[in-house]
Amino acid sequence: ASRHKHRATGGRRNIHQKKRKYEMGRPSALCKLGAKRVRPVRCRGGNMKYRGLRIDAGNFAWGSENCTKKVRILDVVYNATSNELVRTKTLTKNSIVQIDAQTYLQWYLKKYGVDLRKKGKGAKKEAGKDGKEEEEVEKKSRHVIFKLKAREAKQKMDPAVEDQFQSGRLLASVASRPGQSGRCDGYVLEGEELTFYKRKLEKKKK
């Protein structure tokens, strides 16, 4: 409430009532990247909020593949509000973060029989491990191999997302409010949104 403020003309106000509990605010959580630390807060009506003070993992959805996995958050790379929040690695809603791609890689390999790291540039580096992996591949039945091939044929992937798999890190956006729910969930950036934020990051580097 702004009863203590001056009027638009600069005059003082007469304060005719005290502060009320329902007008109360609380300090912001400013959830950081780190080992999980969440505190419960009792709110009006006996409801609970979960104040995320530090969080290091969350559920991130890969929309086009309809796949959601719990993954580690590795870094905060962009925040529209302020670069200060990037420097201090603060997690807020719509922070752009880097997440660990390993879980999605394993899932993709299982569903499509394709190792995304081996596509393109990564192929030569992985050549040493090939011998062992060939043996594993042969264990699949003929039926399964054809099933995977059929899936792979229909599969279209955003090249920008595919490139990120080479580095083992994906750009994602936080959709939950860590300071309110104590969770840091979100979605993997794709398509135009990914292009937009990549451009922002390029600009920041300069």
Side-chain angles (χ1 to χ4, degrees), residues 38-151:
V38 176
R39 297 282 177 269
V41 179
R42 185 202 180 268
C43 304
R44 188 172 166 88
N47 294 308
M48 296 301 273
K49 281 186 179 180
Y50 296 93
R51 204 47 101 237
L53 301 176
R54 290 184 198 165
I55 293 177
D56 58 356
N59 286 312
F60 283 83
W62 183 5
S64 62
E65 290 298 329
N66 202 3
C67 160
T68 303
K69 299 282 175 200
K70 183 179 178 184
V71 290
R72 274 187 323 129
I73 301 168
L74 302 171
D75 199 6
V76 181
V77 288
Y78 181 76
N79 194 315
T81 312
S82 159
N83 285 333
E84 181 79 0
L85 297 177
V86 178
R87 202 172 50 77
T88 54
K89 297 196 193 311
T90 303
L91 296 166
T92 62
K93 181 170 169 150
N94 210 30
S95 295
I96 304 303
V97 294
Q98 279 185 337
I99 56 174
D100 186 14
Q102 193 55 41
T103 327
Y104 296 112
L105 277 169
Q106 288 162 352
W107 173 85
Y108 200 89
L109 182 60
K110 197 174 172 189
K111 185 170 180 187
Y112 296 105
V114 175
D115 190 344
L116 286 169
R117 280 169 308 181
K118 290 194 181 170
K119 284 195 164 183
K121 296 171 238 168
K124 291 168 196 142
K125 292 179 203 164
E126 302 285 327
K129 297 179 192 169
D130 256 354
K132 204 183 284 178
E133 287 199 10
E134 285 303 316
E135 290 162 30
E136 284 172 29
V137 169
E138 274 152 31
K139 283 178 198 166
K140 288 177 192 155
S141 67
R142 194 161 161 275
H143 172 71
V144 170
I145 289 168
F146 276 102
K147 189 164 74 174
L148 294 178
K149 273 192 181 156
R151 277 182 192 165

